[in-house]
Amino acid sequence: MHSIKINGGNTLSGTISIGGAKNSIVALIPGAILTDEEVIISNVPDISDVKALENILKYLNVDYSKKNDIIKIKSKDMVNKEITKNMSSKLRASYYFMGSMLSRYKHVEISMPGGCTIGNRPIDLHLKGFKALGATITETENKVIIDAEELKGNKIYLDFASVGATINIMYAAVMAKGKTIIENAAKEPEIVNVATFLNNMGARIKGAGTETIKIVGVEKLHSCFTEVIPDRIEAGTYIIMGAALGDKLKIENIIPQHISTVLEKLDEMGAEIEVNDDYVIISKVNKLKATSIKTLVYPGFPTDLQQVFASLMCIAKGQSTIKENIYENRFNNLFELIKMGANIEVNGNKAIIKGPNNLSGCEVNATDLRAGAGLVVAALIASGETTINNADYILRGYEHIVKKISSIGGEISLL
Ligand code: EPZ
């Protein structure tokens, strides 16, 4: 496992270019096997989760090539084999092979997915959707076997607007017989990215981005080209970094509307931010004001940015509060911030941060991807040197993070 070493306190200025969205590409790659023709995807981020999915495709004898940010996938000679634990446990998104391989083969054997330890993260809604389409599920202690004579469209209500379940059910329904309606569907931008990709392949999907998605099954899907949308969470991470340490820091290749709630919160805190069509420019201000956030499904405040936002709240004046409504266990980073000198009280899914705090560098541990990103921001703010252990978590979702932060004046190295 790598560590990241940071000497904090530097002002950050220059330009950060945002890459393709992790939470899109980790769905698009498993979805590419819905056709045996060539699929081309551009703006692919250089992150380890993509590598983990490449390994699964190659294990299934799928032709995969990557040149710069473009990948080509051709699954004409694909073999339907069990996806074992050592591969599926690398990331949560391995579960998208359930929907795509069920669609293609009507039989899937796969071990349970991995993913950040931020809650118990069940997949009951995914399995509910597959069953509604006619599949039978056999679950052993760590494996799922899914079979279907035939897949038939149905109406499926999601008890929670789950991103993963919405996408997985789309994959299982695109070639099912008849019409499928997903109610209380997730509305995240990544859902729209995936639906556009499927429609480019010849699917008939309407309503992506709203709470009701309608899918009319088609016989076959064909080759297509699609582009990954900018990563709104990577963008938000660097914008929050800029609110703490920026001097006209430019964050470009973004879709500001995708993080409008984060921008509104930064405005409430008094951040100096200029929002343009596809970039923002942000500078630190002396006294940021405390604020409160409650994480919600899109377009509410994104749970994936609450841990990063907590680091900024440490230097805001007054009492800030966080209410985490999506996951049961997404506060581990706060205990690391307390080690750095932050005044934080944690009580269940609520946290109170009293600021401003003078953060001091020390040795901390990344417990998950976004906790790690939050610690990077805290270490850049802190005086002195910080070592962040278990930094591989961070490399799962932030392409070239050391290079990008070094390029804007941060003193950071990967060990
Ligand atoms: C996706 O996870 C993202 N991951 C997460 O980002 C993100 O936090 C989450 O959506 C919410 O936006 C990927 O896209 C790979 P969910 P996913 O299904 O699909 C409950 C990151 O840091 N639930 O919307 O797993 C679940 O327990 C990661 O990039 C069920 O109860 O999220 C959780 O409380 C972290 N049953 C809530 O829904 C199910 O079958 C959100 O889960 C599925 C989910």
Side-chain angles (χ1 to χ4, degrees):
M1 265 279 196
H2 292 88
S3 295
I4 283 180
K5 188 162 282 194
I6 291 173
N7 253 314
N10 293 11
T11 297
L12 303 176
S13 59
T15 300
I16 291 270
S17 281
I18 297 302
K22 168 183 87 77
N23 292 343
S24 279
I25 190 60
V26 297
L28 297 174
I29 291 175
I33 61 116
L34 284 162
T35 175
D36 57 10
E37 298 177 15
E38 183 173 67
V39 169
I40 300 174
I41 305 173
S42 69
N43 198 32
V44 176
D46 185 9
I47 55 176
S48 59
D49 271 7
V50 167
K51 191 75 191 143
L53 291 169
E54 174 187 344
N55 294 338
I56 295 177
L57 285 187
K58 288 183 171 170
Y59 162 78
L60 297 172
N61 200 41
V62 172
D63 194 26
Y64 177 103
S65 64
K66 183 171 192 290
K67 191 157 181 282
N68 302 324
D69 70 335
I70 293 178
I71 59 174
K72 292 182 179 175
I73 296 171
K74 195 161 182 181
S75 61
K76 190 166 61 60
D77 303 321
M78 180 174 177
V79 176
N80 185 1
K81 290 191 285 188
E82 177 191 349
I83 299 177
T84 50
K85 186 170 187 296
N86 63 316
M87 287 178 282
S88 68
S89 62
K90 289 272 188 304
L91 73 167
R92 174 109 168 134
S94 57
Y95 62 21
Y96 289 128
F97 284 104
M98 291 180 185
S100 61
M101 290 175 77
L102 175 62
S103 227
R104 180 165 173 157
Y105 296 111
K106 309 290 185 298
H107 174 78
V108 193
E109 282 194 50
I110 182 168
S111 292
M112 289 301 278
C116 294
T117 50
I118 51 179
N120 67 28
R121 309 194 77 184
I123 61 167
D124 58 308
L125 297 176
H126 301 239
L127 303 181
K128 172 182 176 181
F130 300 147
K131 282 182 205 154
L133 296 171
T136 51
I137 315 269
T138 313
E139 287 179 84
T140 59
E141 77 291 340
N142 190 40
K143 191 164 88 166
V144 176
I145 301 170
I146 313 171
D147 286 296
E149 282 301 307
E150 138 183 290
L151 293 169
K152 276 182 74 176
N154 202 344
K155 184 187 274 194
I156 299 159
Y157 171 76
L158 291 181
D159 307 72
F160 180 90
S162 158
V163 170
T166 300
I167 292 172
N168 237 340
I169 293 166
M170 283 203 290
Y171 285 171
V174 274
M175 293 188 279
K177 287 194 173 21
K179 188 171 180 178
T180 296
I181 298 175
I182 306 174
E183 292 185 329
N184 194 32
K187 300 186 279 191
E188 276 69 0
E190 292 76 26
I191 306 284
V192 180
N193 201 180
V194 171
T196 307
F197 165 66
L198 293 170
N199 284 340
N200 291 352
M201 292 167 92
R204 293 176 59 193
I205 300 173
K206 286 199 168 73
T210 75
E211 63 188 18
T212 306
I213 296 178
K214 292 180 180 143
I215 301 158
V216 176
V218 295
E219 279 294 306
K220 195 171 163 6
L221 295 176
H222 53 68
S223 66
C224 84
F225 163 81
T226 213
E227 184 176 54
V228 183
I229 58 171
D231 192 316
R232 60 194 170 97
I233 306 302
E234 186 195 14
T237 300
Y238 286 106
I239 292 170
I240 292 165
M241 204 183 282
L245 295 160
D247 174 13
K248 294 191 177 35
L249 180 65
K250 182 178 183 186
I251 294 100
E252 63 179 14
N253 303 337
I254 71 169
I255 301 175
Q257 292 82 341
H258 287 173
I259 42 169
S260 55
T261 47
V262 178
L263 297 176
E264 278 149 27
K265 280 295 162 186
L266 288 171
D267 191 44
E268 266 178 39
M269 296 176 83
E272 194 182 297
I273 183 163
E274 177 198 322
V275 181
N276 299 281
D277 284 354
D278 63 353
Y279 69 92
V280 301
I281 294 176
I282 187 158
S283 297
K284 67 182 173 190
V285 294
N286 282 334
K287 278 272 168 281
L288 283 168
K289 295 190 290 282
T291 188
S292 292
I293 60 173
K294 295 182 181 70
T295 63
L296 292 168
V297 295
Y298 193 84
F301 192 96
T303 173
D304 291 350
L305 279 172
Q306 73 82 346
Q307 292 155 296
V308 178
F309 212 81
S311 297
L312 183 68
M313 287 169 150
C314 289
I315 59 170
K317 188 172 182 314
Q319 178 168 302
S320 292
T321 61
I322 299 173
K323 189 153 180 294
E324 172 54 60
N325 295 310
I326 308 291
Y327 290 105
E328 306 88 342
N329 178 31
R330 204 166 196 174
F331 280 156
N332 291 327
N333 56 302
L334 298 180
F335 301 105
E336 302 301 306
L337 293 178
I338 290 169
K339 281 186 203 168
M340 298 177 79
N343 178 350
I344 300 175
E345 282 162 49
V346 178
N347 181 3
N349 70 339
K350 291 192 194 72
I352 295 173
I353 302 176
K354 289 179 184 146
N357 297 274
N358 293 318
L359 298 181
S360 308
C362 66
E363 186 157 345
V364 291
N365 299 305
T367 50
D368 57 77
L369 163 59
R370 306 302 176 185
L375 292 175
V376 167
V377 174
L380 289 165
I381 293 169
S383 59
E385 184 179 274
T386 299
T387 301
I388 303 171
N389 297 321
N390 307 330
D392 289 45
Y393 281 120
I394 304 167
L395 306 180
R396 286 189 45 205
Y398 288 90
E399 68 168 5
H400 314 148
I401 186 167
V402 171
K403 199 166 119 205
K404 287 187 177 183
I405 293 175
S406 303
S407 75
I408 55 173
E411 222 179 298
I412 179 172
S413 53
L414 184 67
L415 309 174

